[in-house]
Amino acid sequence: QVQLVESGGGSVQAGGSLRLSCKFSGSIFSINSMSWHRQAPGKARELVAQINKLGGTNYLGAVRGRFDISKDDRNNVLILEMNNLKPEDSGVYYCSAVIGPLVDRQTVWGQGTQVAVSS
């Protein structure tokens, strides 16, 4: 299995920056892609950014150009750099990993870290 532990959330004013980290461990060879999702109160969880094994990235339109996802394979850390934060970026941010072979794909989730952006 794969274990994910997020850190780096907090409170910031609009226009500020935060850096989220997700330490991954366990059967890391089984990881196909990793992502950051977020969930605001009363809203569905949404994909914010994704990175695949080849380093290809994909972003939610609302964060493109402000957020940057990267993966440090040497230290087993997934990173989300968030700049020019807006109040609508507030929510619980979750790290996730898609693991396993094509016929048995599973998604593993971290516990989440809170981000609060004030206007």
Side-chain angles (χ1 to χ4, degrees):
Q1 257 298 8
V2 171
Q3 294 80 43
L4 306 173
V5 179
E6 301 102 330
S7 61
S11 297
V12 65
Q13 288 191 325
S17 298
L18 282 174
R19 184 175 191 259
L20 304 184
S21 297
C22 173
K23 178 74 173 175
F24 51 94
S25 60
S27 304
I28 60 175
F29 60 87
S30 66
I31 295 175
N32 296 286
S33 64
M34 297 192 74
S35 304
W36 288 98
H37 288 71
R38 69 186 181 191
Q39 188 167 20
K43 294 189 176 181
R45 191 173 296 189
E46 61 181 355
L47 175 65
V48 174
Q50 184 176 52
I51 186 166
N52 62 31
K53 289 179 88 168
L54 299 179
T57 58
N58 183 41
Y59 294 92
L60 176 71
V63 308
R64 192 173 292 118
R66 299 188 296 120
F67 290 14
D68 182 68
I69 187 171
S70 61
K71 191 155 66 78
D72 178 355
D73 288 320
R74 184 173 182 179
N75 295 297
N76 295 343
V77 179
L78 179 72
I79 296 164
L80 185 67
E81 298 276 4
M82 305 187 294
N83 300 303
N84 191 21
L85 282 160
K86 303 177 180 181
E88 52 264 41
D89 293 319
S90 299
V92 180
Y93 281 68
Y94 298 91
C95 171
S96 69
V98 175
I99 65 172
L102 190 62
V103 296
D104 187 29
R105 286 281 158 88
Q106 300 177 51
T107 301
V108 179
W109 295 91
Q111 82 285 356
T113 185
Q114 183 76 48
V115 170
V117 184
S118 58
S119 56

